[in-house]
Structure formats: structure tokens, C-alpha cells
Amino acid sequence: MAGPKPERIEHYVRMFEQLSEVSADFVESMRWRVVRPHQARLTVEEVLRRLRGDPDTVTTRRPVDVGYDDELVFLEQRDDTVIVVGYTVYSDEEDVLRRLSQDATVHEVFWVINNFNRLYYAVDGVVVTALDVLCPQDRWGADPDALNDHLDALRDLRDRERGPWPDWETAMATVESLTGLGLDAGWFDRPQLSAKVNHR
């Protein structure tokens, strides 16, 4: 069985503790995507195009300096992969995932302040698996069981009888375990590429 180890979950607990000291926005509402191409290198410019971003709005800024902005995303190139961090929930989320995952794999987690959330796995324009982080037994998609071997930490969290429950931290660690890529508090404190995107 694969999945996040306790120390990686604790890493995200510490990350959000540090972030909450400078900005509560990402603690309350966040979206994190890892977009990895199957072959050719995927660029930030291409990911921004798939997100229907406005290239004229591309700039560099520290995420901790920006308050909640549901049109703004932060993008980072890591080798052939692009990481996208933002706030909002799209009304056409599965359409966005289909565009982003053309000739690529996308792993994504998001949550908002009212606990609405999802963890997605999409490949080649198909949402393979989608699940509710708080109820990981609630899964759907083309292959709802595709991530089963990676969900032990989320299932264990669900089965606990008392809190506190590091729900989002465990979801972040799960995406890291699936992709081999992670975030830390320093990422939000460093200048990152940012741009406005059109969610429709």
C-alpha cells in the first residue's frame, strides 16, 4: 500500500500553522494542482492557455502578499511539470480538468471555507477518480477505485473517533505521495508567477 507517511502529514500541519500567521486565506480556501505531461515538457504558458488565462496579467508576486482573489492563480515550472495554486472553486471544474489533462496527468485537491472539497485524478481528458476528502469512500469517475491503494491515511482520518482532524493536510500529503512533488510555507513567501484566469 502506498500513501502519505505521518511525517509528511505533519509537514503540512506545520505549513498551515506558519501560513496562518501571515495569511488565513490559504488555510480556509485553497486549490493545488500538479499537471504532468506524458512526454513533451509542459510549460507554464501552455497551462495558462488551458486555464483560459490572460497573458497580459502575468506578473511575479509573493502569494502571502495577496488576499483572496478568485481569479488569480500562481504557477511554478518544476522540470516538465507545472504546479498551479489558487483559491477558487470552478463551476465547470470537470471541464477545466479535461482541458488541463490533455496528453497529461492532473492530481488536484481543493477545499473552501464551508468544507466543500474534492481530490481529483484526471488523465487524457478523463476524470478517472474524484472523491470527497472528508468521506473518501464516496468516489466516482471513470475508475473510482484507481487511487484506492493511496487513500489509507484519508480513510484512517475518517475512522478516528475524536479530533483534531488534519483533513486538508492529509489531502495535501496524499497528492504529494501521488506526484512526488510538494509545497512548503516558504513557497508562499517566495515570488511566484501569477496571472488572472477566466473560469468559464
Side-chain angles (χ1 to χ4, degrees), residues 5 15 43 58 76 83 93 95 102 115 123 138 169-170:
K5 301 197 179 313
M15 182 187 91
T43 65
V58 174
E76 180 194 4
I83 288 174
E93 179 62 22
D95 180 58
Q102 292 298 325
N115 284 344
V123 181
D138 294 343
E169 295 88 345
T170 304

Side-chain angles (χ1 to χ4, degrees), residues 157 160 162-166:
L157 197 62
R160 284 188 191 177
R162 43 175 85 132
W165 296 283

Side-chain angles (χ1 to χ4, degrees), residues 30-34 84 86 93 106-111 117-120 131 133 154 167-168 170-176:
M30 183 173 158
R31 172 185 308 280
W32 176 37
R33 293 183 170 118
V34 178
V84 185
E93 179 62 22
V106 177
H107 291 91
E108 171 184 320
V109 63
F110 77 77
W111 63 89
N117 71 85
R118 291 291 181 263
L119 192 153
Y120 286 110
L131 62 93
V133 168
L154 285 173
D167 305 314
W168 316 137
T170 304
M172 295 281 287
T174 299
V175 169
E176 179 180 309

